[in-house]
Amino acid sequence: MIAPRRRDFLRAIGASFAAAAAGLSASSCAPIDEDGRTRVSLWFAYGGKNREELLALVDRFNASQPDVRVVATYQGDYFEALAKLRTALAARAAPALTHVIGEVVPYLAEAGVLEALDRFAPASSFDLVPALAQEGAYAGGASRPLYSLPFNRSTPIAYLHGGVLKELGLAPPTTWDELRAFARAATIRGADGTVQRWGFVCPIDWWFWAAMVGQAGGDVIEPDGRVTLGGEAGVRAVRFWQTLVHDDRTMKPPPGRDYNSWQAANGDFLAGRAAMIWTSTAFLRYLEDNAKFPVIAAPLPRDARASVPIGGTLFVLPKGSSEPVQRAAFRFLAWMMEPEQANQWATRTGYMPVSRRGLELLRASGYYTAHPNDAVAVDQLRVATAWPWSTALFRVQREAVQPRLEEAVLARRDAAAVLEEARRAAEEP
Amino acid sequence: MKPRHPLHPYLFLFPAILTLGVFFVAPLVIAIENSFYSWDMLTPPRWVGGDNYAALVRTGEVFGVLGRTALYSVLVVAFSLVLGLALAVALDRPGRVYAFVRGAVFSAYVVSWVAVALLWMWLLDADAGLVGGLVRALGGTPRSWLSDPDRALYAIAIVSVWKITGYAMVIFLAGLQDVPKSVLEAAALDGAGPVRRFWEITWPLLRPSAAFVATTALLASFQAFDVVRVMTQGGPVKATTLFVYAIYEHVFVNLRVGRASALTVIFFVVLLAATALQLAAWRATSHARERSQEPA
């Protein structure tokens, strides 16, 4: 009697597995909700305030029309989200829509996993700020198919403690030499030599190093595609950090990697433990809202020249969704590029408005006169450098340079030797 | 026993074989295959032969990762063993207070790794943390352990020891229940002091428990990932890039599935060799014990 019952049990388990599998595949092929709306999955990579602002925009879009429902899902920080995106692409389960950092767009596009957007509308139909859109963000970006539309675009800027500036009677530093002098003047040490207030806190991160390479007169990747890491300029940038950290002991490299160290820098600034930090314009509203002192934003100082890279992300459509879903996703993108949405996003976060008309409207309304901190990043666009359209860019950033910067600065290894090693690593296939 | 049908034994084995095959053998075979390719998961894989292994050796990466993982494992195993044993012996007494302390020590083991890591990040923060505050109160200068390449690995080892010592203690407490009180009392009557009673009676009877704790602690420390991911992300520099984290970094940060697979295969071989050595040592000691128990 027992045997048949057991067999029935096994059969029932088998049947339930089959039913579950069928249910799963059925749900993944049904992008139409019960109310007839096309469902568009959007993977995003912000926490905190920026996440709230994005979700507010998504809600507004969903309420503004009856056809498309964008479902936004948080996927960790940029790099965590990117890891998930790549895994999902390999498993053919990519979202309809997501946003990725600028450095990885050429890589994904050349790997053939991004949908060309000019299939839906020509690039010229968007009226975007050229430096922030694909055409200006990449050297030769206009001659490629349109793979990306700008979303949250930023530049690194300096944030200064207004109270400290007043106390020292100094203006924000405009050159590397002035920065060094400012950091020295603003650092306060206790009787036992421990630092109570750092003059300068800057994450040991690729983005700030790339800014300094540009300022020292170099290019991370030459226009012909050779990876030089800026040559002498790259070395000079690392040495400047080494001097501030080890010789002057006026700069604190915040602990943690990637965005952990950025958060640590923000924390030091808000707690009054740092007179000046470098970080993204993305944190402008957050820092202003949470600081108990006046926050003064300033452009990054110049060395041989003024220069900043553009950061942040661009929207992309991963391949794999059905045509109606892609059209629905594109509808959301087009809506986000309109002046009203672009400006809502920019003024509530600190990112730059990507719509040219939107930017003009803000200027005309006197917004930048009333909020001079917001104007810093926009004004810095004049000296922004475009990334090369290089599939190597992402690997140069993540594998070759980023881990070695830490080693060079924290363990004070010879800057030229470390960068030579990084250059060789970047050449590895 | 003769099966009613020749296929029956295989039918009974089937679920186990299926599970092992799908979740162990197949991934291993795929990893071995991938280790000979250069693949970023997006573009077609490219055959590179032994290049992935060669690069891991040439850059010294595999030795660095192995060395760090071994140091971390030795620290975690040794300290959790010694502390767990000491706590078990100290707390193996009746009474509510002891029961509470036993529960408190074990509670760390129940908490998730991520929560533990976040808690210790705060404790170890040089400026705002509890440890920094204590050091300052004692007149010292607090250092940020997690951002110091020379200390970060030790900080992570301390956190891991703190977390798993409660588990070691519970295993030792169970082992202590098997130590006959009558033998201990007889030894005391014969004039053996507490130290001698421990070394001559308690410890030999606890050896199986110790072997069990050492093995599980070794496995846990070789697989450490969460604590690294949350507390240091492998840094500063490469100070806390342990084996599993290095594999993760290659796949998900550097887009190198082949390199990660090669590291996985090396990891597998190293663990296999370590297990074989451990088994051999185990057999040798148990043979020796059997022989010593034979009548002369």
Side-chain angles (χ1 to χ4, degrees):
Chain A
M1 277 310 282
I2 292 167
R5 218 183 284 162
R6 195 180 284 164
R7 211 168 289 150
D8 288 345
F9 175 66
L10 286 174
R11 215 171 277 152
I13 289 183
S16 62
F17 271 123
L24 271 180
S25 59
S27 69
S28 61
C29 315
I32 308 285
D33 279 352
E34 281 159 18
D35 56 4
R37 286 173 171 232
T38 305
R39 198 182 329 128
V40 171
S41 54
L42 162 65
W43 283 11
F44 70 95
Y46 308 114
K49 177 156 178 59
N50 294 351
R51 169 195 184 136
E52 286 164 27
E53 295 304 336
L54 172 65
L55 292 180
L57 279 164
V58 167
D59 286 345
R60 198 151 74 71
F61 173 75
N62 286 339
S64 72
Q65 43 73 45
D67 309 318
V68 180
R69 174 173 291 116
V70 173
V71 182
T73 317
Y74 176 61
Q75 297 291 358
D77 69 26
Y78 291 162
F79 301 111
E80 287 163 346
L82 186 61
K84 288 182 193 174
L85 174 67
R86 287 173 47 241
T87 316
L89 281 164
R92 295 172 207 287
L97 181 62
T98 187
H99 62 122
V100 296
I101 54 167
E103 289 95 320
V104 82
V105 170
Y107 176 85
L108 293 175
E110 298 302 320
V113 296
L114 298 183
E115 204 63 52
L117 302 173
D118 26 22
R119 195 156 70 76
F120 306 106
S124 55
S125 63
F126 289 109
D127 188 32
L128 299 168
V129 177
L132 302 179
Q134 182 179 304
E135 61 168 301
Y138 302 96
S143 61
R144 314 264 165 191
L146 184 69
Y147 288 113
S148 57
L149 283 170
F151 177 23
N152 58 313
R153 305 310 319 267
S154 55
T155 61
I157 60 175
Y159 292 87
L160 294 105
H161 188 302
V164 176
L165 282 180
K166 208 168 171 191
E167 166 197 322
L168 299 173
L170 289 171
T174 58
T175 65
W176 285 17
D177 289 337
E178 284 181 26
L179 186 153
R180 200 175 162 192
F182 173 85
R184 211 178 276 158
T187 300
I188 298 179
R189 275 177 237 281
D192 57 349
T194 55
V195 175
Q196 283 156 0
R197 184 178 73 203
W198 293 93
F200 183 35
V201 173
C202 176
I204 305 301
D205 190 277
W206 146 270
W207 203 40
F208 305 108
W209 173 77
M212 288 160 71
V213 173
Q215 288 155 16
D219 287 309
V220 175
I221 299 182
E222 302 301 320
D224 62 6
R226 272 180 312 124
V227 179
T228 56
L229 304 184
E232 264 311 301
V235 175
R236 186 168 155 75
V238 174
R239 290 211 176 118
F240 187 56
W241 264 343
Q242 288 177 328
T243 306
L244 294 173
V245 171
H246 296 286
D247 297 337
D248 296 359
R249 289 185 295 125
T250 52
M251 170 181 150
K252 173 186 173 184
R257 274 196 174 167
D258 294 339
Y259 298 114
N260 294 354
S261 66
W262 297 46
Q263 277 168 11
N266 287 350
D268 281 338
F269 184 67
L270 290 176
R273 288 193 299 268
M276 171 173 59
I277 61 170
W278 281 8
T279 189
S280 168
T281 177
F283 296 112
L284 180 53
R285 217 47 357 111
Y286 166 74
L287 291 174
E288 282 181 346
D289 289 351
N290 290 285
K292 296 186 185 72
F293 49 84
V295 174
I296 311 288
L300 294 195
R302 56 187 295 140
D303 185 38
R305 64 182 179 191
S307 171
V308 283
I310 296 180
T313 69
L314 300 104
F315 278 121
V316 293
L317 249 63
K319 276 188 180 164
S321 298
S322 63
E323 180 70 20
V325 172
Q326 286 185 355
R327 290 204 171 276
F330 183 78
R331 206 169 140 181
F332 174 69
L333 287 193
W335 183 81
M336 285 291 283
M337 299 303 123
E338 289 170 9
E340 189 189 344
Q341 283 70 253
N343 286 2
Q344 177 181 335
W345 171 250
T347 54
R348 292 188 186 177
T349 59
Y351 285 109
M352 289 178 277
V354 296
S355 155
R356 183 156 43 189
R357 175 96 190 101
L359 185 57
E360 282 164 11
L361 284 171
L362 281 181
R363 281 207 176 110
S365 71
Y367 180 80
Y368 289 113
T369 322
H371 300 86
N373 284 347
D374 287 65
V376 171
V378 175
D379 291 344
Q380 257 192 161
L381 276 184
R382 268 182 255 129
V383 296
T385 41
W387 291 115
W389 185 268
S390 161
T391 54
L393 184 59
F394 180 66
R395 195 165 267 163
V396 168
Q397 173 196 5
R398 295 300 291 166
E399 190 180 6
V401 175
Q402 177 80 26
R404 287 180 178 82
L405 283 180
E406 227 185 4
E407 197 178 343
V409 176
L410 298 187
R412 199 168 199 180
R413 279 193 53 201
D414 177 53
V418 169
L419 287 179
E420 177 53 26
E421 196 182 293
R423 209 185 47 72
R424 274 203 306 273
E427 276 172 357
E428 245 188 74
Chain B
M1 207 172 86
K2 209 173 148 56
R4 258 187 293 168
H5 190 282
L7 272 180
H8 279 172
Y10 299 99
L11 274 177
F12 284 117
L13 279 175
F14 180 70
I17 291 178
L18 184 75
T19 316
L20 266 179
V22 170
F23 294 108
F24 180 73
V25 180
L28 185 66
V29 171
I30 294 171
I32 293 174
E33 191 198 354
N34 280 341
S35 72
F36 296 108
Y37 286 88
S38 170
W39 186 39
D40 61 3
M41 288 165 89
L42 299 181
T43 48
R46 200 164 42 79
W47 171 266
V48 293
D51 280 6
N52 286 320
Y53 293 95
L56 286 170
V57 172
R58 191 182 61 240
T59 55
E61 184 183 348
V62 68
F63 307 113
V65 171
L66 266 177
R68 279 189 292 272
T69 311
L71 173 61
Y72 168 81
S73 299
V74 166
L75 288 172
V76 171
V77 172
F79 280 95
S80 61
L81 209 68
V82 171
L83 280 176
L85 181 59
L87 282 168
V89 171
L91 298 176
D92 186 24
R93 279 148 234 254
R96 271 193 204 167
V97 176
Y98 288 107
F100 172 76
V101 178
R102 283 196 300 267
V105 172
F106 186 68
S107 66
Y109 183 70
V110 186
V111 181
S112 90
W113 274 105
V114 174
V116 166
L118 288 172
L119 171 74
W120 276 89
M121 277 173 78
W122 169 71
L123 285 174
L124 290 174
D125 187 288
D127 295 315
L130 195 66
V131 176
L134 270 176
V135 172
R136 245 190 305 271
L138 293 171
T141 309
R143 300 267 312 256
S144 177
W145 277 49
L146 291 175
S147 51
D148 182 342
D150 296 328
R151 295 173 191 220
L153 189 67
Y154 296 98
I156 292 212
I158 289 171
V159 174
S160 308
V161 168
W162 178 84
K163 169 114 166 70
I164 68 172
T165 291
Y167 173 75
M169 179 195 73
V170 164
I171 303 293
F172 281 125
L173 277 171
L176 283 173
Q177 310 312 309
D178 289 342
V179 180
K181 294 274 178 291
S182 55
V183 179
L184 287 171
E185 279 162 17
L189 283 176
D190 286 343
V195 177
R196 182 142 185 232
R197 285 204 299 275
F198 176 80
W199 282 117
E200 301 280 335
I201 300 164
T202 312
W203 174 242
L205 288 168
L206 279 182
R207 275 176 60 173
S209 310
F212 180 75
V213 169
T215 312
T216 46
L218 188 72
L219 284 176
S221 57
F222 258 83
Q223 291 168 1
F225 175 78
D226 334 34
V227 68
V228 177
R229 178 75 184 82
V230 176
M231 290 184 79
T232 59
Q233 300 88 48
V237 191
K238 291 235 165 228
T240 56
T241 305
L242 302 180
F243 231 121
V244 180
Y245 194 79
I247 292 169
Y248 161 84
E249 212 173 44
H250 273 304
V251 181
F252 293 109
V253 180
N254 301 341
L255 324 175
R256 291 193 188 276
V257 176
R259 199 66 59 83
S261 301
L263 209 50
T264 309
V265 172
I266 295 174
F267 189 31
F268 173 72
V269 171
V270 168
L271 273 188
L272 199 67
T275 316
L277 277 177
Q278 203 172 20
L279 265 180
W282 209 312
R283 281 198 189 123
T285 50
S286 54
H287 279 310
R289 216 170 297 148
E290 274 162 29
R291 240 174 284 134
S292 67
Q293 281 163 4
E294 280 165 15

